[in-house]
């Protein structure tokens, strides 16, 4: 009897109790109107539509040629007759055993190192000067960008004339001070220095403006606080400015790496009288110039595509190494900063304890 009464009370309470409150969050789909569904679709899909043109354009002009080049590298492809027999990775094996390929790779890395390292150092120095309170800031900032505006062909022709072995301006100046003329277009290292000087002259100002924009984004309050603590200009530059612009430095290093390993115009036009691209002994023939010679002079598109893919993998490898080294440097600096902060806190605690004991 008691069980029957309690069951009846529970049934009555359940009937009188309101329906369970739905979960917070999205409303049931059946309760949404067409306009609400359209608004929800707009919020969710609009970002993808906005970035879709970039990926479509990248797929057409970047990804598809990359994949198609890999397919061509697996065939015995001629410039005039078109695709031939399937050879697999024989083109890669043939190029890896070709001394001309390794010579071009050595020239590319040598010119890259001679151009990238001085270029980045000079760009940081110029950006630091332009970041100061100097007169005619706009004039100087526009002046450092003028070499970038000049076309690479004009730059190469001017420097080719200046580095001429018989009547060039550089050798005339060396002879005027009693030095022997340098064989800029015959010897390996002088030719690399001459080509690297063209790259440095054209790209230093461009990188300097990028670094200058990053320096100006550093809060001035930090510099003022460091100056009040007694830090000099050099200490503030190496302890505040350089760590603050590290992401921009990584960007500049990676872009300089990509551009330096793809150098073509400067060595191609450095000595127009040479019948062999890259000098009579190929002493400054870069990998891209060797690729061009393989494709259009020897008409072997299969091997040229294999060279292009190996250069692509090399650029990716250099980019990853730059990223890892930069991250390692950043982690090391952060650990040193934590150690310095801990030491300062310990020193301040000791001083505070000593002052309390003295007051007692």
């Amino acid at each position: 009897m008691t069980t029957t009464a309690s069951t009846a009370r529970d049934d009555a309470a359940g009937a009188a109790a309101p329906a369970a409150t739905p979960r917070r969050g999205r409303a049931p789909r059946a309760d949404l109107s067409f306009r609400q569904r359209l608004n929800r679709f707009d919020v969710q899909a609009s970002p993808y539509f906005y970035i879709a043109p970039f990926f479509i354009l990248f797929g057409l002009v970047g990804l598809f040629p990359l994949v198609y080049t890999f397919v061509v590298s697996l065939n015995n492809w001629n410039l005039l007759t078109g695709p031939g027999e399937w050879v697999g990775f024989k083109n890669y094996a043939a190029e890896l055993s070709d001394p001309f390929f390794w010579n071009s790779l050595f020239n590319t890395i040598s010119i890259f190192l001679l151009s990238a390292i001085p270029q980045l150092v000079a760009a940081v120095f110029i950006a630091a000067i332009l970041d100061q309170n100097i007169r005619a800031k706009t004039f100087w900032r526009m002046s450092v960008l003028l070499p970038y505006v000049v076309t690479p062909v004009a730059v190469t022709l001017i420097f080719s004339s200046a580095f001429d072995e018989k009547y060039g301006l550089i050798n005339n100046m060396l002879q005027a001070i009693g030095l022997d003329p340098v064989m800029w277009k015959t010897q390996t290292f002088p030719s690399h220095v001459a080509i690297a000087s063209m790259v440095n002259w054209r790209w230093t100002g461009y990188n300097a403006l990028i670094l200058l924009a990053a320096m100006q984004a550093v809060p001035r309050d930090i510099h003022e606080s460091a100056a009040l603590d007694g830090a000099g200009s050099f200490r503030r530059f190496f302890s505040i400015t350089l760590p603050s612009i590290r992401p921009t430095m990584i960007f500049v290093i990676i872009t300089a790496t990509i551009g330096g390993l793809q150098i073509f115009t400067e060595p191609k036009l450095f000595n127009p009288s040479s019948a062999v691209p890259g000098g009579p002994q190929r002493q400054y023939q870069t990998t891209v110039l060797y690729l061009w010679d393989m494709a259009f002079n020897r008409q072997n598109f299969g091997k040229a595509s294999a060279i292009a893919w190996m250069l692509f993998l090399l650029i990716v490898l250099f980019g990853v190494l730059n990223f890892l080294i930069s991250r390692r440097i950043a982690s090391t600096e952060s650990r040193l900063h934590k150690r310095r902060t801990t030491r300062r806190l310990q020193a301040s605690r000791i001083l505070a304890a000593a002052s309390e004991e003295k007051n007692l």
Side-chain angles (χ1 to χ4, degrees):
M1 187 70 177
T2 306
T3 306
T4 305
S6 61
T7 304
R9 285 196 303 268
D10 292 341
D11 294 340
T21 305
R23 293 181 179 179
R24 293 182 180 180
R26 297 181 179 179
R29 193 174 185 84
D31 297 340
L32 295 178
S33 64
F34 175 77
R35 187 170 183 178
Q36 290 175 334
R37 294 179 183 178
L38 185 62
N39 290 336
R40 176 176 292 182
F41 176 78
D42 180 40
V43 172
Q44 295 178 351
S46 291
Y48 298 97
F49 283 110
Y50 293 147
I51 64 175
F54 166 77
F55 287 99
I56 294 174
L57 187 63
F58 172 75
L60 293 176
V61 302
L63 187 60
F64 173 74
L66 189 66
V67 176
Y68 191 73
T69 302
F70 180 72
V71 175
V72 173
S73 68
L74 302 177
N75 291 269
N76 188 11
W77 201 294
N78 187 271
L79 175 63
L80 299 178
T81 60
E85 61 177 345
W86 178 274
V87 295
F89 290 95
K90 289 184 179 180
N91 288 328
Y92 293 88
E95 287 305 318
L96 289 175
S97 61
D98 191 348
F100 288 154
F101 171 75
W102 292 106
N103 174 70
S104 68
L105 197 61
F106 167 76
N107 294 335
T108 301
I109 296 176
S110 175
I111 295 173
F112 161 68
L113 294 177
L114 290 173
S115 60
I117 297 175
Q119 177 188 148
L120 295 176
V121 173
V124 172
F125 178 73
I126 295 173
I129 293 177
L130 295 177
D131 192 36
Q132 304 300 318
N133 188 16
I134 60 175
R135 295 182 180 180
K137 293 182 179 180
T138 305
F139 170 76
W140 295 113
R141 292 172 186 175
M142 293 301 297
S143 298
V144 298
L145 193 61
L146 285 179
Y148 175 74
V149 178
V150 182
T151 59
V153 176
V155 174
T156 306
L157 293 177
I158 294 172
F159 274 81
S160 176
S161 176
F163 283 102
D164 188 74
E165 297 177 349
K166 292 183 179 180
Y167 308 106
L169 176 64
I170 307 298
N171 278 345
N172 289 337
M173 293 176 62
L174 293 176
Q175 291 176 349
I177 59 177
L179 298 178
D180 295 331
V182 179
M183 308 306 290
W184 299 105
K185 298 183 179 181
T186 305
Q187 299 178 352
T188 301
F189 183 73
S191 63
H192 292 183
V193 173
I195 295 174
S197 64
M198 305 181 203
V199 181
N200 293 333
W201 187 83
R202 186 167 185 264
W203 288 98
T204 300
Y206 174 81
N207 291 326
L209 287 185
I210 295 178
L211 295 173
L212 174 63
M215 290 180 183
Q216 290 183 336
V218 179
R220 298 297 175 181
D221 298 339
I222 302 177
H223 287 277
E224 294 176 358
S225 301
L228 292 176
D229 291 339
S233 57
F234 286 97
R235 180 65 181 273
R236 294 198 305 270
F237 178 75
F238 287 102
S239 300
I240 298 176
T241 304
L242 286 183
S244 300
I245 65 172
R246 186 183 298 111
T248 306
M249 284 290 295
I250 295 174
F251 168 78
V252 171
I253 291 172
I254 292 177
T255 54
T257 302
I258 296 173
L261 295 178
Q262 291 181 337
I263 184 172
F264 171 75
T265 305
E266 288 82 358
K268 177 66 174 66
L269 300 178
F270 181 58
N271 189 8
S273 61
S274 176
V276 180
Q281 288 82 33
R282 302 177 186 267
Q283 64 270 18
Y284 54 89
Q285 184 182 66
T286 59
T287 305
V288 178
L289 188 57
Y290 174 61
L291 184 156
W292 177 87
D293 182 44
M294 180 66 69
F296 296 102
N297 289 342
R298 306 187 193 182
Q299 301 179 0
N300 193 333
F301 264 36
K303 289 186 177 181
S305 301
I307 297 169
W309 255 92
M310 287 189 287
L311 179 62
F312 168 72
L313 295 177
L314 180 65
I315 293 173
V316 172
L317 177 62
F318 268 81
V320 172
L321 287 177
N322 287 332
F323 175 75
L324 294 177
I325 292 173
S326 302
R327 189 173 65 176
R328 182 66 179 271
I329 294 174
S331 62
T332 303
E333 289 182 356
S334 63
R335 287 197 299 266
L336 292 175
H337 180 70
K338 289 181 181 179
R339 291 177 183 175
R340 292 170 184 171
T341 304
T342 304
R343 292 175 182 174
R344 290 176 182 175
L345 290 175
Q346 292 176 353
S348 62
R349 290 172 183 173
I350 293 172
L351 291 175
S355 62
E356 289 179 359
E357 292 179 357
K358 185 178 180 180
N359 292 331
L360 293 175

